[in-house]
Amino acid sequence: MIPRHVGYIMDGNGRWAERRGLPRSAGYAAGLKAMLRVLDRTEARGVAAVTVYAYSSENFARPADESAAIFDVVEKWNGSYSGDRKVRYIGDLSRFPAGLVKSVRGVELRTADNPGMTVCIALGYGGRDDIVSAAAKAAADGAVTRESFERGLSTHGLPPLDLIVRSGGEKRLSGFMLYEAAYSELYFTDVLWPDMTESDVDAAMEEFAGRTRKFGA
């Protein structure tokens, strides 16, 4: 059994850097390298779509220099990406620097017709905010039904979220895709995100394959 859509909560970048006596910004650069390893292995396993939790709506409370380091990593990756995956962003971009927003729109446009795995990046994203927004859109359209509500979600069009993997030892969703996670399988690992390897991806996939999914039955 192969998950169609995997969500990764990329936790532990700052702690990884601190344990090595490095500035927390170094953890985000290392985290990008880990993300690329994880995406490669996940696609090789046959997964159609991945959503990575890059920066939540609550993360704006972080120190400005730490946020700036994350923004810099994201903007540079957007500008340099030339692969065959389809890149998509979800979240409220209104609070981000203009250069970063421009890079987001640019990579989405360049990759819109790509045939590879969809990579959805949650930036300035909060699951509760997304639910409120979707409900408001459905109400404005005249009727709040399951179908109209789901059309309003920022994740509309993605496959169902089958598996959520969180690194770093914490065991919570932290606002990640709360509606979509209703029947997702959850996998938690103590491995800090920059240390994630192909073997860690395989372990999550193998555990998923061994689970019995009942969907309330």
Side-chain angles (χ1 to χ4, degrees), residues 52 54-55 60 70-81 85-112 119-125:
V52 294
Y55 195 85
F60 285 103
I70 298 171
F71 300 167
D72 185 59
V73 167
V74 174
E75 184 173 346
K76 287 180 177 177
W77 182 80
N78 287 340
S80 65
Y81 183 72
R85 294 175 184 142
K86 181 181 295 185
V87 180
R88 171 176 171 177
Y89 276 81
I90 58 173
D92 179 7
L93 299 180
S94 65
R95 298 172 66 184
F96 289 92
L100 174 56
V101 175
K102 182 178 179 180
S103 76
V104 167
R105 300 311 181 203
V107 73
E108 287 182 323
L109 183 62
R110 291 198 316 274
T111 65
V119 177
C120 182
I121 301 174
L123 192 71
Y125 173 86

Side-chain angles (χ1 to χ4, degrees), residues 31-215:
L32 174 61
K33 294 178 181 178
M35 186 187 81
L36 299 180
R37 288 194 301 270
V38 167
L39 291 179
D40 286 346
R41 188 58 178 170
T42 304
E43 186 170 28
R45 297 286 306 224
V47 174
V50 165
T51 298
V52 294
Y53 206 8
Y55 195 85
S56 77
S57 55
E58 288 82 12
N59 286 157
F60 285 103
R62 291 182 175 184
D65 59 341
E66 187 174 329
S67 291
I70 298 171
F71 300 167
D72 185 59
V73 167
V74 174
E75 184 173 346
K76 287 180 177 177
W77 182 80
N78 287 340
S80 65
Y81 183 72
S82 60
D84 68 352
R85 294 175 184 142
K86 181 181 295 185
V87 180
R88 171 176 171 177
Y89 276 81
I90 58 173
D92 179 7
L93 299 180
S94 65
R95 298 172 66 184
F96 289 92
L100 174 56
V101 175
K102 182 178 179 180
S103 76
V104 167
R105 300 311 181 203
V107 73
E108 287 182 323
L109 183 62
R110 291 198 316 274
T111 65
D113 296 323
N114 282 3
M117 181 178 71
T118 296
V119 177
C120 182
I121 301 174
L123 192 71
Y125 173 86
R128 288 180 293 189
D129 294 335
D130 205 36
I131 288 170
V132 171
S133 176
K137 290 174 184 176
D141 288 341
V144 181
T145 65
R146 179 171 175 174
E147 291 73 20
S148 67
F149 174 83
E150 291 179 350
R151 283 196 302 270
L153 291 169
S154 61
T155 54
H156 180 66
L158 292 172
L161 184 62
D162 290 324
L163 172 65
I164 296 174
V165 177
R166 180 168 186 151
S167 63
E170 303 293 348
K171 295 179 174 63
R172 57 178 179 268
L173 293 180
S174 298
F176 181 66
M177 299 178 75
L178 299 177
Y179 181 85
E180 297 85 348
Y183 283 103
S184 300
E185 299 296 319
L186 306 179
Y187 180 87
F188 301 103
T189 175
D190 291 334
V191 177
L192 300 179
W193 182 257
D195 289 328
M196 287 283 287
T197 67
E198 292 84 353
S199 295
D200 296 310
V201 174
D202 289 343
M205 297 295 174
E206 295 305 321
E207 181 161 324
F208 175 83
R211 294 187 183 181
T212 300
R213 307 192 72 196
K214 296 183 178 181
F215 299 98

